[in-house]
Amino acid sequence: MELFDALVQRASVRKLKPVEVTGADLQRILDAGRRAPSGQNFQPFDFLVIRDPDTLRELSRAQACIGDVTLAVALVADPEKSRWWLEDIAAATANMLLAITALGYASVWIEGTLLRQEAEHKRLLGIPENLRLMILLPIGQAAEAVAQAPKRALEDMVHRDRW
Ligand SMILES: Cc1cc2nc3c(=O)[nH]c(=O)nc-3n(C[C@H](O)[C@H](O)[C@H](O)COP(=O)(O)O)c2cc1C
């Protein structure tokens, strides 16, 4: 799928069904995250690929749809590596979501529901204490047609020359 189509088609899909994510596709999704811009190129993030069904089931307590996929990617940041770690991990996530969409899969940015029990999830995944488990991206297929949430019109948000 072409980039500009992926930008329009990307949507938060919360009803997912399992699909086999090929190794080649997974590689492209992870590479999209790796190539994201980061402050001073410090790249203060790591990606954890979760395929274990028991672990996915445990994580579905944070958000049900994680239990419906064969694969999820956790994005983990090291706040000591960069003062821009939050922006950086967000950029990597956005890149990955576009790659997921372009390859014909569906996902949703899971953060709010995950962070409520971050410590517990970190223990489950064996993530060291000093790192932040920020985002989970389940990768599946949309169980039903979902459109991107409505966005404000450009005329409403674009200012020209002066505010
Ligand atoms: C920082 C952030 C945290 C989010 N956390 C969650 C979450 O925990 N669960 C969820 O279902 N969606 C979450 N989302 C997805 C948003 O709800 C979604 O992007 C927004 O409603 C717009 O919909 P769209 O993605 O279809 O454009 C999050 C998105 C962002 C950027």
mmCIF file with all atom_site columns, all heavy atoms in Angstrom, residues 59-84:
data_model
loop_
_atom_site.group_PDB
_atom_site.id
_atom_site.type_symbol
_atom_site.label_atom_id
_atom_site.label_alt_id
_atom_site.label_comp_id
_atom_site.label_asym_id
_atom_site.label_entity_id
_atom_site.label_seq_id
_atom_site.pdbx_PDB_ins_code
_atom_site.Cartn_x
_atom_site.Cartn_y
_atom_site.Cartn_z
_atom_site.occupancy
_atom_site.B_iso_or_equiv
_atom_site.pdbx_formal_charge
_atom_site.auth_seq_id
_atom_site.auth_comp_id
_atom_site.auth_asym_id
_atom_site.auth_atom_id
_atom_site.pdbx_PDB_model_num
ATOM 1   N N   . LEU A 1 59 ? -1.639  -10.511 29.047 1.00 0.00 ? 59 LEU A N   1
ATOM 2   C CA  . LEU A 1 59 ? -1.655  -9.081  28.703 1.00 0.00 ? 59 LEU A CA  1
ATOM 3   C C   . LEU A 1 59 ? -3.052  -8.613  28.318 1.00 0.00 ? 59 LEU A C   1
ATOM 4   O O   . LEU A 1 59 ? -3.345  -7.417  28.374 1.00 0.00 ? 59 LEU A O   1
ATOM 5   C CB  . LEU A 1 59 ? -0.678  -8.807  27.552 1.00 0.00 ? 59 LEU A CB  1
ATOM 6   C CG  . LEU A 1 59 ? 0.808   -8.917  27.900 1.00 0.00 ? 59 LEU A CG  1
ATOM 7   C CD1 . LEU A 1 59 ? 1.657   -8.902  26.634 1.00 0.00 ? 59 LEU A CD1 1
ATOM 8   C CD2 . LEU A 1 59 ? 1.231   -7.778  28.828 1.00 0.00 ? 59 LEU A CD2 1
ATOM 9   N N   . SER A 1 60 ? -3.902  -9.529  27.925 1.00 0.00 ? 60 SER A N   1
ATOM 10  C CA  . SER A 1 60 ? -5.248  -9.132  27.496 1.00 0.00 ? 60 SER A CA  1
ATOM 11  C C   . SER A 1 60 ? -6.058  -8.593  28.673 1.00 0.00 ? 60 SER A C   1
ATOM 12  O O   . SER A 1 60 ? -7.129  -8.037  28.482 1.00 0.00 ? 60 SER A O   1
ATOM 13  C CB  . SER A 1 60 ? -5.975  -10.295 26.818 1.00 0.00 ? 60 SER A CB  1
ATOM 14  O OG  . SER A 1 60 ? -6.333  -11.271 27.758 1.00 0.00 ? 60 SER A OG  1
ATOM 15  N N   . ARG A 1 61 ? -5.511  -8.748  29.890 1.00 0.00 ? 61 ARG A N   1
ATOM 16  C CA  . ARG A 1 61 ? -6.191  -8.119  31.031 1.00 0.00 ? 61 ARG A CA  1
ATOM 17  C C   . ARG A 1 61 ? -6.070  -6.598  30.946 1.00 0.00 ? 61 ARG A C   1
ATOM 18  O O   . ARG A 1 61 ? -6.901  -5.871  31.469 1.00 0.00 ? 61 ARG A O   1
ATOM 19  C CB  . ARG A 1 61 ? -5.601  -8.633  32.350 1.00 0.00 ? 61 ARG A CB  1
ATOM 20  C CG  . ARG A 1 61 ? -6.334  -9.902  32.792 1.00 0.00 ? 61 ARG A CG  1
ATOM 21  C CD  . ARG A 1 61 ? -5.965  -10.282 34.199 1.00 0.00 ? 61 ARG A CD  1
ATOM 22  N NE  . ARG A 1 61 ? -4.814  -11.171 34.173 1.00 0.00 ? 61 ARG A NE  1
ATOM 23  C CZ  . ARG A 1 61 ? -4.010  -11.384 35.202 1.00 0.00 ? 61 ARG A CZ  1
ATOM 24  N NH1 . ARG A 1 61 ? -4.205  -10.750 36.318 1.00 0.00 ? 61 ARG A NH1 1
ATOM 25  N NH2 . ARG A 1 61 ? -3.012  -12.223 35.100 1.00 0.00 ? 61 ARG A NH2 1
ATOM 26  N N   . ALA A 1 62 ? -4.995  -6.135  30.276 1.00 0.00 ? 62 ALA A N   1
ATOM 27  C CA  . ALA A 1 62 ? -4.866  -4.687  30.062 1.00 0.00 ? 62 ALA A CA  1
ATOM 28  C C   . ALA A 1 62 ? -5.874  -4.243  29.009 1.00 0.00 ? 62 ALA A C   1
ATOM 29  O O   . ALA A 1 62 ? -6.536  -3.225  29.157 1.00 0.00 ? 62 ALA A O   1
ATOM 30  C CB  . ALA A 1 62 ? -3.453  -4.334  29.611 1.00 0.00 ? 62 ALA A CB  1
ATOM 31  N N   . GLN A 1 63 ? -5.962  -4.974  27.923 1.00 0.00 ? 63 GLN A N   1
ATOM 32  C CA  . GLN A 1 63 ? -6.954  -4.668  26.879 1.00 0.00 ? 63 GLN A CA  1
ATOM 33  C C   . GLN A 1 63 ? -7.277  -5.948  26.125 1.00 0.00 ? 63 GLN A C   1
ATOM 34  O O   . GLN A 1 63 ? -6.373  -6.636  25.630 1.00 0.00 ? 63 GLN A O   1
ATOM 35  C CB  . GLN A 1 63 ? -6.432  -3.579  25.941 1.00 0.00 ? 63 GLN A CB  1
ATOM 36  C CG  . GLN A 1 63 ? -7.553  -3.024  25.083 1.00 0.00 ? 63 GLN A CG  1
ATOM 37  C CD  . GLN A 1 63 ? -7.348  -1.574  24.664 1.00 0.00 ? 63 GLN A CD  1
ATOM 38  O OE1 . GLN A 1 63 ? -6.798  -0.768  25.404 1.00 0.00 ? 63 GLN A OE1 1
ATOM 39  N NE2 . GLN A 1 63 ? -7.800  -1.245  23.479 1.00 0.00 ? 63 GLN A NE2 1
ATOM 40  N N   . ALA A 1 64 ? -8.596  -6.241  26.063 1.00 0.00 ? 64 ALA A N   1
ATOM 41  C CA  . ALA A 1 64 ? -9.053  -7.565  25.635 1.00 0.00 ? 64 ALA A CA  1
ATOM 42  C C   . ALA A 1 64 ? -8.475  -8.009  24.289 1.00 0.00 ? 64 ALA A C   1
ATOM 43  O O   . ALA A 1 64 ? -8.120  -9.179  24.112 1.00 0.00 ? 64 ALA A O   1
ATOM 44  C CB  . ALA A 1 64 ? -10.570 -7.594  25.593 1.00 0.00 ? 64 ALA A CB  1
ATOM 45  N N   . CYS A 1 65 ? -8.335  -7.094  23.327 1.00 0.00 ? 65 CYS A N   1
ATOM 46  C CA  . CYS A 1 65 ? -7.979  -7.515  21.961 1.00 0.00 ? 65 CYS A CA  1
ATOM 47  C C   . CYS A 1 65 ? -6.586  -8.146  21.878 1.00 0.00 ? 65 CYS A C   1
ATOM 48  O O   . CYS A 1 65 ? -6.283  -8.846  20.912 1.00 0.00 ? 65 CYS A O   1
ATOM 49  C CB  . CYS A 1 65 ? -8.113  -6.362  20.979 1.00 0.00 ? 65 CYS A CB  1
ATOM 50  S SG  . CYS A 1 65 ? -7.088  -4.943  21.332 1.00 0.00 ? 65 CYS A SG  1
ATOM 51  N N   . ILE A 1 66 ? -5.747  -7.958  22.893 1.00 0.00 ? 66 ILE A N   1
ATOM 52  C CA  . ILE A 1 66 ? -4.418  -8.586  22.864 1.00 0.00 ? 66 ILE A CA  1
ATOM 53  C C   . ILE A 1 66 ? -4.555  -10.110 22.925 1.00 0.00 ? 66 ILE A C   1
ATOM 54  O O   . ILE A 1 66 ? -3.706  -10.850 22.417 1.00 0.00 ? 66 ILE A O   1
ATOM 55  C CB  . ILE A 1 66 ? -3.525  -8.078  24.027 1.00 0.00 ? 66 ILE A CB  1
ATOM 56  C CG1 . ILE A 1 66 ? -3.429  -6.557  23.997 1.00 0.00 ? 66 ILE A CG1 1
ATOM 57  C CG2 . ILE A 1 66 ? -2.120  -8.682  23.950 1.00 0.00 ? 66 ILE A CG2 1
ATOM 58  C CD1 . ILE A 1 66 ? -2.789  -5.946  25.244 1.00 0.00 ? 66 ILE A CD1 1
ATOM 59  N N   . GLY A 1 67 ? -5.649  -10.558 23.501 1.00 0.00 ? 67 GLY A N   1
ATOM 60  C CA  . GLY A 1 67 ? -5.894  -11.994 23.582 1.00 0.00 ? 67 GLY A CA  1
ATOM 61  C C   . GLY A 1 67 ? -6.361  -12.592 22.259 1.00 0.00 ? 67 GLY A C   1
ATOM 62  O O   . GLY A 1 67 ? -6.447  -13.818 22.129 1.00 0.00 ? 67 GLY A O   1
ATOM 63  N N   . ASP A 1 68 ? -6.636  -11.754 21.276 1.00 0.00 ? 68 ASP A N   1
ATOM 64  C CA  . ASP A 1 68 ? -7.197  -12.240 20.011 1.00 0.00 ? 68 ASP A CA  1
ATOM 65  C C   . ASP A 1 68 ? -6.184  -12.271 18.869 1.00 0.00 ? 68 ASP A C   1
ATOM 66  O O   . ASP A 1 68 ? -6.559  -12.463 17.720 1.00 0.00 ? 68 ASP A O   1
ATOM 67  C CB  . ASP A 1 68 ? -8.381  -11.342 19.592 1.00 0.00 ? 68 ASP A CB  1
ATOM 68  C CG  . ASP A 1 68 ? -9.489  -11.369 20.632 1.00 0.00 ? 68 ASP A CG  1
ATOM 69  O OD1 . ASP A 1 68 ? -9.674  -12.424 21.264 1.00 0.00 ? 68 ASP A OD1 1
ATOM 70  O OD2 . ASP A 1 68 ? -10.143 -10.329 20.807 1.00 0.00 ? 68 ASP A OD2 1
ATOM 71  N N   . VAL A 1 69 ? -4.915  -12.030 19.181 1.00 0.00 ? 69 VAL A N   1
ATOM 72  C CA  . VAL A 1 69 ? -3.907  -11.997 18.107 1.00 0.00 ? 69 VAL A CA  1
ATOM 73  C C   . VAL A 1 69 ? -2.804  -13.022 18.385 1.00 0.00 ? 69 VAL A C   1
ATOM 74  O O   . VAL A 1 69 ? -2.698  -13.551 19.499 1.00 0.00 ? 69 VAL A O   1
ATOM 75  C CB  . VAL A 1 69 ? -3.273  -10.585 17.960 1.00 0.00 ? 69 VAL A CB  1
ATOM 76  C CG1 . VAL A 1 69 ? -4.327  -9.562  17.549 1.00 0.00 ? 69 VAL A CG1 1
ATOM 77  C CG2 . VAL A 1 69 ? -2.588  -10.155 19.242 1.00 0.00 ? 69 VAL A CG2 1
ATOM 78  N N   . THR A 1 70 ? -2.004  -13.268 17.381 1.00 0.00 ? 70 THR A N   1
ATOM 79  C CA  . THR A 1 70 ? -0.911  -14.240 17.533 1.00 0.00 ? 70 THR A CA  1
ATOM 80  C C   . THR A 1 70 ? 0.400   -13.538 17.876 1.00 0.00 ? 70 THR A C   1
ATOM 81  O O   . THR A 1 70 ? 1.408   -14.207 18.151 1.00 0.00 ? 70 THR A O   1
ATOM 82  C CB  . THR A 1 70 ? -0.685  -15.023 16.224 1.00 0.00 ? 70 THR A CB  1
ATOM 83  O OG1 . THR A 1 70 ? -0.364  -14.084 15.191 1.00 0.00 ? 70 THR A OG1 1
ATOM 84  C CG2 . THR A 1 70 ? -1.928  -15.807 15.827 1.00 0.00 ? 70 THR A CG2 1
ATOM 85  N N   . LEU A 1 71 ? 0.379   -12.211 17.821 1.00 0.00 ? 71 LEU A N   1
ATOM 86  C CA  . LEU A 1 71 ? 1.628   -11.468 17.957 1.00 0.00 ? 71 LEU A CA  1
ATOM 87  C C   . LEU A 1 71 ? 1.358   -10.037 18.433 1.00 0.00 ? 71 LEU A C   1
ATOM 88  O O   . LEU A 1 71 ? 0.418   -9.394  17.959 1.00 0.00 ? 71 LEU A O   1
ATOM 89  C CB  . LEU A 1 71 ? 2.294   -11.420 16.571 1.00 0.00 ? 71 LEU A CB  1
ATOM 90  C CG  . LEU A 1 71 ? 3.491   -10.522 16.385 1.00 0.00 ? 71 LEU A CG  1
ATOM 91  C CD1 . LEU A 1 71 ? 4.724   -11.127 17.007 1.00 0.00 ? 71 LEU A CD1 1
ATOM 92  C CD2 . LEU A 1 71 ? 3.748   -10.293 14.910 1.00 0.00 ? 71 LEU A CD2 1
ATOM 93  N N   . ALA A 1 72 ? 2.196   -9.581  19.352 1.00 0.00 ? 72 ALA A N   1
ATOM 94  C CA  . ALA A 1 72 ? 2.145   -8.169  19.751 1.00 0.00 ? 72 ALA A CA  1
ATOM 95  C C   . ALA A 1 72 ? 3.585   -7.674  19.884 1.00 0.00 ? 72 ALA A C   1
ATOM 96  O O   . ALA A 1 72 ? 4.494   -8.447  20.200 1.00 0.00 ? 72 ALA A O   1
ATOM 97  C CB  . ALA A 1 72 ? 1.401   -7.998  21.068 1.00 0.00 ? 72 ALA A CB  1
ATOM 98  N N   . VAL A 1 73 ? 3.762   -6.383  19.638 1.00 0.00 ? 73 VAL A N   1
ATOM 99  C CA  . VAL A 1 73 ? 5.080   -5.763  19.830 1.00 0.00 ? 73 VAL A CA  1
ATOM 100 C C   . VAL A 1 73 ? 4.974   -4.774  20.982 1.00 0.00 ? 73 VAL A C   1
ATOM 101 O O   . VAL A 1 73 ? 4.089   -3.903  20.984 1.00 0.00 ? 73 VAL A O   1
ATOM 102 C CB  . VAL A 1 73 ? 5.553   -5.033  18.554 1.00 0.00 ? 73 VAL A CB  1
ATOM 103 C CG1 . VAL A 1 73 ? 6.891   -4.333  18.805 1.00 0.00 ? 73 VAL A CG1 1
ATOM 104 C CG2 . VAL A 1 73 ? 5.675   -6.007  17.380 1.00 0.00 ? 73 VAL A CG2 1
ATOM 105 N N   . ALA A 1 74 ? 5.843   -4.938  21.974 1.00 0.00 ? 74 ALA A N   1
ATOM 106 C CA  . ALA A 1 74 ? 5.904   -3.985  23.075 1.00 0.00 ? 74 ALA A CA  1
ATOM 107 C C   . ALA A 1 74 ? 7.033   -3.002  22.785 1.00 0.00 ? 74 ALA A C   1
ATOM 108 O O   . ALA A 1 74 ? 8.129   -3.404  22.377 1.00 0.00 ? 74 ALA A O   1
ATOM 109 C CB  . ALA A 1 74 ? 6.164   -4.709  24.390 1.00 0.00 ? 74 ALA A CB  1
ATOM 110 N N   . LEU A 1 75 ? 6.760   -1.715  23.002 1.00 0.00 ? 75 LEU A N   1
ATOM 111 C CA  . LEU A 1 75 ? 7.791   -0.688  22.815 1.00 0.00 ? 75 LEU A CA  1
ATOM 112 C C   . LEU A 1 75 ? 8.264   -0.237  24.189 1.00 0.00 ? 75 LEU A C   1
ATOM 113 O O   . LEU A 1 75 ? 7.465   0.196   25.029 1.00 0.00 ? 75 LEU A O   1
ATOM 114 C CB  . LEU A 1 75 ? 7.262   0.484   22.005 1.00 0.00 ? 75 LEU A CB  1
ATOM 115 C CG  . LEU A 1 75 ? 7.057   0.129   20.520 1.00 0.00 ? 75 LEU A CG  1
ATOM 116 C CD1 . LEU A 1 75 ? 5.636   -0.267  20.253 1.00 0.00 ? 75 LEU A CD1 1
ATOM 117 C CD2 . LEU A 1 75 ? 7.496   1.266   19.624 1.00 0.00 ? 75 LEU A CD2 1
ATOM 118 N N   . VAL A 1 76 ? 9.563   -0.369  24.399 1.00 0.00 ? 76 VAL A N   1
ATOM 119 C CA  . VAL A 1 76 ? 10.166  -0.157  25.708 1.00 0.00 ? 76 VAL A CA  1
ATOM 120 C C   . VAL A 1 76 ? 11.193  0.975   25.576 1.00 0.00 ? 76 VAL A C   1
ATOM 121 O O   . VAL A 1 76 ? 12.007  0.966   24.647 1.00 0.00 ? 76 VAL A O   1
ATOM 122 C CB  . VAL A 1 76 ? 10.862  -1.454  26.175 1.00 0.00 ? 76 VAL A CB  1
ATOM 123 C CG1 . VAL A 1 76 ? 11.533  -1.258  27.523 1.00 0.00 ? 76 VAL A CG1 1
ATOM 124 C CG2 . VAL A 1 76 ? 9.845   -2.607  26.236 1.00 0.00 ? 76 VAL A CG2 1
ATOM 125 N N   . ALA A 1 77 ? 11.149  1.931   26.499 1.00 0.00 ? 77 ALA A N   1
ATOM 126 C CA  . ALA A 1 77 ? 12.061  3.081   26.410 1.00 0.00 ? 77 ALA A CA  1
ATOM 127 C C   . ALA A 1 77 ? 13.024  3.104   27.594 1.00 0.00 ? 77 ALA A C   1
ATOM 128 O O   . ALA A 1 77 ? 12.701  2.637   28.685 1.00 0.00 ? 77 ALA A O   1
ATOM 129 C CB  . ALA A 1 77 ? 11.257  4.373   26.372 1.00 0.00 ? 77 ALA A CB  1
ATOM 130 N N   . ASP A 1 78 ? 14.195  3.675   27.337 1.00 0.00 ? 78 ASP A N   1
ATOM 131 C CA  . ASP A 1 78 ? 15.170  3.887   28.396 1.00 0.00 ? 78 ASP A CA  1
ATOM 132 C C   . ASP A 1 78 ? 15.282  5.395   28.646 1.00 0.00 ? 78 ASP A C   1
ATOM 133 O O   . ASP A 1 78 ? 15.996  6.101   27.911 1.00 0.00 ? 78 ASP A O   1
ATOM 134 C CB  . ASP A 1 78 ? 16.531  3.312   27.971 1.00 0.00 ? 78 ASP A CB  1
ATOM 135 C CG  . ASP A 1 78 ? 17.548  3.423   29.099 1.00 0.00 ? 78 ASP A CG  1
ATOM 136 O OD1 . ASP A 1 78 ? 17.300  4.174   30.064 1.00 0.00 ? 78 ASP A OD1 1
ATOM 137 O OD2 . ASP A 1 78 ? 18.592  2.749   29.009 1.00 0.00 ? 78 ASP A OD2 1
ATOM 138 N N   . PRO A 1 79 ? 14.582  5.910   29.665 1.00 0.00 ? 79 PRO A N   1
ATOM 139 C CA  . PRO A 1 79 ? 14.575  7.358   29.907 1.00 0.00 ? 79 PRO A CA  1
ATOM 140 C C   . PRO A 1 79 ? 15.961  7.925   30.196 1.00 0.00 ? 79 PRO A C   1
ATOM 141 O O   . PRO A 1 79 ? 16.173  9.126   30.050 1.00 0.00 ? 79 PRO A O   1
ATOM 142 C CB  . PRO A 1 79 ? 13.665  7.506   31.132 1.00 0.00 ? 79 PRO A CB  1
ATOM 143 C CG  . PRO A 1 79 ? 12.857  6.259   31.180 1.00 0.00 ? 79 PRO A CG  1
ATOM 144 C CD  . PRO A 1 79 ? 13.740  5.188   30.623 1.00 0.00 ? 79 PRO A CD  1
ATOM 145 N N   . GLU A 1 80 ? 16.897  7.085   30.598 1.00 0.00 ? 80 GLU A N   1
ATOM 146 C CA  . GLU A 1 80 ? 18.242  7.595   30.886 1.00 0.00 ? 80 GLU A CA  1
ATOM 147 C C   . GLU A 1 80 ? 19.043  7.842   29.618 1.00 0.00 ? 80 GLU A C   1
ATOM 148 O O   . GLU A 1 80 ? 20.070  8.517   29.634 1.00 0.00 ? 80 GLU A O   1
ATOM 149 C CB  . GLU A 1 80 ? 18.994  6.614   31.788 1.00 0.00 ? 80 GLU A CB  1
ATOM 150 C CG  . GLU A 1 80 ? 18.613  6.802   33.245 1.00 0.00 ? 80 GLU A CG  1
ATOM 151 C CD  . GLU A 1 80 ? 18.939  5.596   34.099 1.00 0.00 ? 80 GLU A CD  1
ATOM 152 O OE1 . GLU A 1 80 ? 19.899  4.892   33.750 1.00 0.00 ? 80 GLU A OE1 1
ATOM 153 O OE2 . GLU A 1 80 ? 18.210  5.374   35.083 1.00 0.00 ? 80 GLU A OE2 1
ATOM 154 N N   . LYS A 1 81 ? 18.590  7.291   28.512 1.00 0.00 ? 81 LYS A N   1
ATOM 155 C CA  . LYS A 1 81 ? 19.358  7.440   27.269 1.00 0.00 ? 81 LYS A CA  1
ATOM 156 C C   . LYS A 1 81 ? 19.085  8.757   26.558 1.00 0.00 ? 81 LYS A C   1
ATOM 157 O O   . LYS A 1 81 ? 19.865  9.186   25.722 1.00 0.00 ? 81 LYS A O   1
ATOM 158 C CB  . LYS A 1 81 ? 19.025  6.293   26.312 1.00 0.00 ? 81 LYS A CB  1
ATOM 159 C CG  . LYS A 1 81 ? 19.841  5.038   26.558 1.00 0.00 ? 81 LYS A CG  1
ATOM 160 C CD  . LYS A 1 81 ? 19.722  4.096   25.379 1.00 0.00 ? 81 LYS A CD  1
ATOM 161 C CE  . LYS A 1 81 ? 20.474  2.799   25.620 1.00 0.00 ? 81 LYS A CE  1
ATOM 162 N NZ  . LYS A 1 81 ? 19.968  1.732   24.762 1.00 0.00 ? 81 LYS A NZ  1
ATOM 163 N N   . SER A 1 82 ? 17.917  9.354   26.856 1.00 0.00 ? 82 SER A N   1
ATOM 164 C CA  . SER A 1 82 ? 17.583  10.586  26.155 1.00 0.00 ? 82 SER A CA  1
ATOM 165 C C   . SER A 1 82 ? 16.505  11.342  26.890 1.00 0.00 ? 82 SER A C   1
ATOM 166 O O   . SER A 1 82 ? 15.555  10.748  27.404 1.00 0.00 ? 82 SER A O   1
ATOM 167 C CB  . SER A 1 82 ? 17.088  10.267  24.735 1.00 0.00 ? 82 SER A CB  1
ATOM 168 O OG  . SER A 1 82 ? 16.606  11.453  24.133 1.00 0.00 ? 82 SER A OG  1
ATOM 169 N N   . ARG A 1 83 ? 16.624  12.682  26.899 1.00 0.00 ? 83 ARG A N   1
ATOM 170 C CA  . ARG A 1 83 ? 15.561  13.483  27.514 1.00 0.00 ? 83 ARG A CA  1
ATOM 171 C C   . ARG A 1 83 ? 14.320  13.513  26.632 1.00 0.00 ? 83 ARG A C   1
ATOM 172 O O   . ARG A 1 83 ? 13.257  13.962  27.040 1.00 0.00 ? 83 ARG A O   1
ATOM 173 C CB  . ARG A 1 83 ? 16.068  14.911  27.779 1.00 0.00 ? 83 ARG A CB  1
ATOM 174 C CG  . ARG A 1 83 ? 16.559  15.614  26.532 1.00 0.00 ? 83 ARG A CG  1
ATOM 175 C CD  . ARG A 1 83 ? 17.200  16.934  26.852 1.00 0.00 ? 83 ARG A CD  1
ATOM 176 N NE  . ARG A 1 83 ? 16.190  17.959  27.049 1.00 0.00 ? 83 ARG A NE  1
ATOM 177 C CZ  . ARG A 1 83 ? 16.362  19.238  26.735 1.00 0.00 ? 83 ARG A CZ  1
ATOM 178 N NH1 . ARG A 1 83 ? 17.517  19.648  26.253 1.00 0.00 ? 83 ARG A NH1 1
ATOM 179 N NH2 . ARG A 1 83 ? 15.407  20.103  26.935 1.00 0.00 ? 83 ARG A NH2 1
ATOM 180 N N   . TRP A 1 84 ? 14.449  13.047  25.385 1.00 0.00 ? 84 TRP A N   1
ATOM 181 C CA  . TRP A 1 84 ? 13.311  13.069  24.450 1.00 0.00 ? 84 TRP A CA  1
ATOM 182 C C   . TRP A 1 84 ? 12.703  11.683  24.270 1.00 0.00 ? 84 TRP A C   1
ATOM 183 O O   . TRP A 1 84 ? 12.074  11.404  23.271 1.00 0.00 ? 84 TRP A O   1
ATOM 184 C CB  . TRP A 1 84 ? 13.759  13.609  23.089 1.00 0.00 ? 84 TRP A CB  1
ATOM 185 C CG  . TRP A 1 84 ? 14.327  14.975  23.163 1.00 0.00 ? 84 TRP A CG  1
ATOM 186 C CD1 . TRP A 1 84 ? 13.639  16.143  23.396 1.00 0.00 ? 84 TRP A CD1 1
ATOM 187 C CD2 . TRP A 1 84 ? 15.694  15.346  23.018 1.00 0.00 ? 84 TRP A CD2 1
ATOM 188 N NE1 . TRP A 1 84 ? 14.500  17.204  23.406 1.00 0.00 ? 84 TRP A NE1 1
ATOM 189 C CE2 . TRP A 1 84 ? 15.779  16.757  23.174 1.00 0.00 ? 84 TRP A CE2 1
ATOM 190 C CE3 . TRP A 1 84 ? 16.873  14.645  22.761 1.00 0.00 ? 84 TRP A CE3 1
ATOM 191 C CZ2 . TRP A 1 84 ? 16.974  17.452  23.085 1.00 0.00 ? 84 TRP A CZ2 1
ATOM 192 C CZ3 . TRP A 1 84 ? 18.066  15.339  22.678 1.00 0.00 ? 84 TRP A CZ3 1
ATOM 193 C CH2 . TRP A 1 84 ? 18.111  16.733  22.842 1.00 0.00 ? 84 TRP A CH2 1
#
